[in-house]
Amino acid sequence: MSDDDDTTVPTKANEAPAPQKRNAFALMTSSSASAAAAPSKKPKLAGSSALDGLLPYIERPASFPPSILISHTPTHVAIRDLYPKASVHTLLIPRSHSHMLLHPITAFDDAPFLAATRAAASTLADLVAAELSRRFGAQDGRDWRREVRVGVHLVPSMNHLHVHVLSRENRSERLKTAKHYLSFNSPFFVALEEFPLKKEDWRRGEEGRRRAEGLLKGSLVCWRCGEGFGRAMKRLKGHLEVEFGRWKVEGGGEKGGEAGKTAKAAKTAETAKTEKAGKAASAAASKPVAAAASSASAAPAQPSPSNPASPASGSETE
């Protein structure tokens, strides 16, 4: 498989693991959870193809080295994504035979299954947070768990159900295309906490999935500060490097992302208001005195904050 796919694929089962430092991932791998037995029954396959690349992890997780496998239990397998789209990118793969080939929306309509998946995902998210703290430092008051995202794609790239558990910052050499970025930074990515979806939710059904594909053709916007880049992935990548340095120190979410978006929106609205006032003044100055006096009695038009002119948006292509 190419790195256009967002999930990992098996390597040789007998591959010897490279020496590793003892870290959060290594500790998890060596836990008793990794020794759990695999399901006794084999699932019915939709077919043998590259899209079934996650099946070997379900059937024989213990055959994979610690460089890939994080943990496994009778109900779930946790692995590192071979094509990560963030500093730490893992996958949680349910092993339930009755759910593994279902679309996420359908699978998570099952309340007990959803609860079990949430519990397993929470454990993996805590591990990802611990790894972020190990890599970037245990800063005073920094809650790295807030920097971890858990969710699925509306149109999965693999046949078998899987949940992405990854860090927030979108920094990876494998993040190469606009499609890669938007698959995690648009409604195409659905947080696990949103499930089960309401019956009338637009994301249900074939029409919703067709609309979801269109989301990958949208404009690129920085997840943290809100700056727009059209479809210029190269410029966005450079910008994300700068934001990565800030994120490591300041964080995202309320500290970085939301505050940055609020500040940018306010600045954009103020710029639009100033430009409009300047145009109005210029137009008034060019009219006869009588016309200007007449127009002065009319109420001035108010700017629309819901649709400000954003100087950062554009139509530049990749």
Side-chain angles (χ1 to χ4, degrees), residues 38 60 66 84 106 177 186 209 222 296:
R60 46 185 178 85
T106 303
T177 69
S186 75
R209 294 171 197 179
C222 174

Side-chain angles (χ1 to χ4, degrees), residues 151-165:
V152 299
H153 287 149
L154 275 179
V155 182
S157 63
M158 305 292 283
N159 285 335
H160 293 82
L161 181 64
H162 56 282
V163 179
H164 296 269
V165 183

